[in-house]
Amino acid sequence: MNDFSNPAEALAEIERTQQRAYADQRLPVWYLPGVIGLGTVAAIAAEVDGAVQIVLTVAAVAGIGALVAALSAGLRIKFRPKTWTPKAGALMALWIASIFVVWGVVPLIVGAFTDSGVWQKAVAGAVAAGYAAATTRRAEDLVLPLLAGKVAR
């Protein structure tokens, strides 16, 4: 441990340590595409009937539960409400909104080629999952430096 004679140096070192801890706490790249995929399965379940609908719905619910459990098991940092600055929250909200825009626009485009609601939802889910996977690290790189607060391990 460093011996800091200047309180400003000690504070700067604490802030650097916290930022490194936040940077180590990244969302797994598979997580959002998994959520989108399971949301797509649930949306497709709404298009079908009978036993297939029940199986798809149960699979989607169980899958979401498994994803949440897997993510929770790996968390090392607890984010407190004061962690999120207005700028970080706004940037994260814009990124999440962009995923929903992609997920919502693609079915309209696919609808020009097919009337099948299942295909529209399946293609939209695949494209949105790919977009989320491709942009997750970039979004984190933009948001993490804007976070504030204490790291609780």
Side-chain angles (χ1 to χ4, degrees):
M1 177 135 182
N2 295 333
D3 182 28
F4 296 102
S5 58
N6 182 347
E9 287 178 39
L11 183 58
E13 182 61 27
I14 290 169
E15 289 173 359
R16 284 190 294 274
T17 301
Q18 288 179 346
Q19 285 299 322
R20 281 192 304 272
Y22 284 133
D24 289 343
Q25 187 65 35
R26 292 192 173 259
L27 190 63
V29 175
W30 52 263
Y31 186 75
L32 278 176
V35 169
I36 291 168
L38 291 168
T40 301
V41 168
I44 291 171
E47 295 287 327
V48 296
D49 293 320
V52 174
Q53 183 180 44
I54 294 168
V55 168
L56 290 177
T57 302
V58 168
V61 170
I64 293 284
L67 285 177
V68 169
L71 183 65
S72 297
L75 287 178
R76 293 185 321 251
I77 296 175
K78 301 210 184 288
F79 288 94
R80 310 243 187 258
K82 292 183 180 179
T83 299
W84 288 93
T85 63
K87 202 174 204 179
L91 193 57
M92 182 61 77
L94 284 173
W95 175 60
I96 291 170
S98 75
I99 293 171
F100 282 113
V101 167
V102 169
W103 206 356
V105 169
V106 171
L108 300 175
I109 296 168
V110 175
F113 301 100
T114 181
D115 290 332
S116 170
V118 171
W119 276 108
Q120 291 174 10
K121 291 176 181 180
V123 172
V127 171
Y131 172 76
T135 59
T136 296
R137 291 292 177 248
R138 180 67 181 140
E140 286 178 336
D141 289 343
L142 293 173
V143 170
L144 285 172
L146 301 175
L147 295 175
K150 297 186 180 198
V151 176
R153 290 188 183 233

